[in-house]
Each structure stands twice: as C-alpha cells, then as structure tokens.
Amino acid sequence: MDSSKPVITATQQPETWQEILQSCFTQADQFLSYLKITHQVPDKLAGATKNFPLRVPLPFAQRIEKGNINDPLLLQILPQLAELDHATGFTDDPLNEYTFTPRQGLLHKYHGRVLMITTSSCAIHCRYCFRRHFPYDSHRQSKQQWSSNFDYIREDHTINEVILSGGDPLNCSDEHLQWITGELEKIQHIKRLRIHTRMPTVIPQRIDSGLINWLTQTNLKVVIVLHCNHANEIDDQVARALAKLSDIKIPLLNQSVLLANINDNSKVLIALSEQLFDCGVQPYYLHVLDKVAGAAHFDLENNTIVQLYKELVENLPGYLVPKLVREIAGAPAKVPVMPPSW
Ligand code: SF4
C-alpha cells in the first residue's frame, strides 16, 4: 500500500472491485504486519521489486494463513532476495514473445488465434510471471493502435479466436471490454473470445452484474481461462463468483504453474483439481515454469515433475488431470511433457 494510502482496518474495508484494486498492499512491511508475520524486510529487496513491485489485493491476502511465512499463497507473491540471483538459462523473455508481436499490443504465436495485450496491469503480482519483464510501456495502445490491431485480425481469415490477456483483461472497465468485443463482433471470421484472467479468484467481487451483462450480451462464444495454483485460493466467495459464470454457461478452464514449495506435491495438485471441478472449472493446463529471470527459485527438476504427474494420472479420473505442458519459444503449440516410460 502506498504510504499515502490509509491502512486497511477491519471496520473500513473496500467493497467494490475498483476500491479493492485501489487499496492493494504494495509495501512489504505493511503487508507482513497485516499477516502478523515478524520478518525483517531486507533493504536489498528494493532491487527485486523496483520494476515488479509487491501487489496483493485484500481478498487474496485474507486467504493467507496469519503468521505463516511458508503459506503457499504467500510464497507466490512475496518478493524474495533469490529474485536477484542470476540463474543460467533464465532470461527476461523466455518465450521469445518480443519477436511475435506483428503490431504493438498484439501477439500472434499460434495458428488460428491472436492474443491482445489488453492492459499492462494486474490485480496481483505473481513472482514467477513469465511476463514480469514484458515491455508493457511500448505496447500501451491508443485507440488508433487498437484500430490497427483490429485491421490485422480482419485481414487474416485464418484467425477465428481472440485471446484477451495482459496483464489481466478484467482489470479493464466493462465499457472498455464492451467496446473491444463490439469491434471484434464486426469481424465475421472471429468466433471465440478467450479471456485469460486471475481476477475471479483474486478479486471475486469483479464478477458483478456489469460484467455478467457484458458476457451475456456478446455474440462471441466466450471461454474463460482462470489461473489458480492451489486449492486454498478458492474460498466460498470465489466459489460463488465462479457459480455466477457457470450460471450463464461460460466454459471455465484453469491453468496452473508447477511451483517449488507451493504445489510440488501430488496431494496438493489432486486437491486443486477436485476443488476446481466442484466449482464447475475444468483443469486444463499444468505448466512447467517458464525460465524467466528472477523466478529460478520456483523451478523443479524434470524427474520431480514427471513423478508428480505420474501420481496425478494414477490417482485422478482422466478428466481431472490437466495436460502437463512446457512452452518452447517458436514451437507451433505447447509441448506435452510425457513421462519417458509411458
Ligand atoms: S496475474 Fe497473470 S499476468 Fe498478472 S502477474 Fe500474475 S501470472 Fe502474471
């Protein structure tokens, strides 16, 4: 939280999603004090947070166990000194995305679909994010740039799906999202709109009547891909938000990232798949960590990954097992990781 902003108190809590976004924790010492964790924040941490500061909204913070520095939700978002280590093979742009941007704010990596960088901002900053160094400033879009991107999509008839990503597209106002979908609806070959978002889990209040109206009014077939790594991220409020999306028949998928000390345990991953399915969400992808600079401490050995996945396959029905994949820069699709003996 900026020092100029009031500290959140039990009696004075933000209510709307916009108020919650405005009052996110951004100072490590205030955040840890809220969590009742006595932990000296090292001065050197400023280097890790300079370009990618701490950012945590209250609803997510409320799901972190008080006093537990090893809480699996906390470890996803707490800046660590390890981020300053230079690890071999970890780079600013592990997926070579900077070369797949035919226009500012538009990524065209795979056949049939394009990804629009809808916004640079997220409600939460995940320390392992593969876009943590993405040059969002040079992809900030004016209306003119948006229009040029719509032209690109209009001219390529092989594209039938547009992915709204970012940042988190649900950080944008309903009016802005309505305008984008209105423009896409005018392009005949666009059939589907995919939304990649962490908002329904980190700020479930975002799933309000305005958003539901937008989603029910568009002619495009909407698919929402959530990002959730641990069952503790889903509480009753999140479950209610997801139920609102299920009620309007939006397919809900989830992608997770395998993260050391957070979900590198088959029991945790099984609980996540079960919890997601109970909330109407289909486990979709389990990603091997992208080797982004500053995230090496989340990485796992290949043998560990394969063993974990084997345990998932042996203990869950097939429809609850997400696809284990690795992204390889330049590959025409995500690459499945298969245990060698299968
Ligand atoms: S919400 Fe998604 S885009 Fe934003 S920091 Fe987390 S992983 Fe990255």
Side-chain angles (χ1 to χ4, degrees):
M1 196 179 299
D2 293 346
S3 47
S4 57
K5 289 182 190 166
V7 177
I8 295 162
T9 66
T11 52
Q12 200 192 8
Q13 294 197 347
E15 286 178 5
T16 66
W17 68 269
Q18 294 94 336
E19 287 168 354
I20 295 169
L21 261 186
Q22 287 297 315
S23 60
C24 285
F25 290 101
T26 57
Q27 299 295 317
D29 50 356
Q30 287 182 349
F31 179 48
L32 291 174
S33 150
Y34 166 82
L35 293 175
K36 304 196 187 320
I37 292 174
T38 33
H39 174 76
Q40 213 58 41
V41 180
D43 290 343
K44 278 210 283 185
L45 211 52
T49 56
K50 190 163 164 256
N51 296 320
F52 193 53
L54 170 88
R55 185 169 176 81
V56 194
L58 184 60
F60 190 87
Q62 285 169 330
R63 287 172 235 146
I64 297 171
E65 187 189 352
K66 296 275 192 303
N68 181 6
I69 188 83
N70 293 315
D71 181 280
L73 273 54
L74 178 62
L75 292 180
Q76 295 180 44
I77 49 157
L78 187 67
Q80 307 277 356
L81 280 181
E83 294 178 35
L84 298 170
D85 296 344
H86 293 283
T88 311
F90 284 73
T91 63
D92 281 3
D93 182 18
L95 304 182
N96 226 353
E97 285 196 325
Y98 306 173
T99 59
F100 292 104
T101 49
R103 307 271 170 101
Q104 261 176 254
L106 195 73
L107 264 74
H108 196 174
K109 288 201 287 190
Y110 300 138
H111 176 81
R113 56 243 192 236
V114 287
L115 183 148
M116 297 187 111
I117 300 286
T118 321
T119 172
S120 59
S121 69
C122 289
I124 192 162
H125 283 175
C126 317
R127 307 314 298 175
Y128 51 84
C129 178
F130 71 94
R131 287 207 187 113
R132 56 178 291 168
H133 306 287
F134 192 82
Y136 284 112
D137 279 347
S138 54
H139 288 270
R140 218 175 282 281
Q141 297 187 71
S142 59
K143 281 249 163 159
Q144 199 181 7
Q145 190 59 50
W146 275 103
S147 157
S148 154
N149 291 346
F150 293 133
D151 286 345
Y152 179 92
I153 297 169
R154 191 174 294 111
E155 283 156 20
D156 186 340
H157 287 247
T158 67
I159 300 169
N160 63 8
E161 176 168 347
V162 172
I163 302 165
L164 300 186
S165 183
D168 196 314
L170 295 193
N171 266 26
C172 299
S173 68
D174 296 335
E175 292 70 28
H176 187 55
L177 293 166
Q178 252 154 16
W179 173 75
I180 294 171
T181 34
E183 293 301 306
L184 292 173
E185 282 165 10
K186 293 178 197 163
I187 306 174
Q188 264 206 332
H189 50 271
I190 298 304
K191 307 286 178 223
R192 288 186 304 278
L193 180 75
R194 197 192 320 169
I195 303 167
H196 282 186
T197 178
R198 241 196 144 181
M199 279 292 253
T201 47
V202 300
I203 305 185
Q205 291 83 345
R206 178 65 183 98
I207 313 304
D208 60 6
S209 55
L211 187 92
I212 295 290
N213 281 343
W214 165 59
L215 291 170
T216 45
Q217 277 165 19
T218 177
N219 301 329
L220 300 169
K221 174 75 184 162
V222 179
V223 178
I224 294 185
V225 182
L226 306 162
H227 171 186
C228 182
N229 300 314
H230 194 288
N232 291 4
E233 290 173 47
I234 304 173
D235 63 4
D236 289 349
Q237 205 170 23
V238 171
R240 283 196 295 276
L242 297 174
K244 285 191 208 171
L245 295 169
S246 292
D247 285 348
I248 56 166
K249 312 255 179 297
I250 302 234
L252 301 174
L253 308 173
N254 182 66
Q255 48 186 349
S256 310
V257 184
L258 263 179
L259 300 164
N261 301 317
I262 292 165
N263 59 11
D264 53 344
N265 173 314
S266 58
K267 285 203 177 99
V268 168
L269 291 170
I270 289 166
L272 173 61
S273 273
E274 299 271 6
Q275 177 82 336
L276 286 167
F277 197 71
D278 285 352
C279 294
V281 183
Q282 186 68 43
Y284 173 40
Y285 277 138
L286 181 60
H287 290 267
V288 175
L289 181 80
D290 297 316
K291 292 188 181 299
V292 66
H297 55 296
F298 291 110
D299 203 18
L300 292 164
E301 294 286 336
N302 205 48
N303 288 347
T304 310
I305 293 171
V306 168
Q307 180 56 32
L308 269 173
Y309 197 59
K310 203 164 178 290
E311 287 169 26
L312 279 195
V313 172
E314 286 169 356
N315 288 286
L316 281 172
Y319 60 91
L320 289 190
V321 181
K323 285 185 235 172
L324 177 65
V325 291
R326 189 189 298 277
E327 269 208 65
I328 297 179
K334 292 180 177 49
V335 179
V337 181
M338 295 299 289
S341 57
W342 287 2

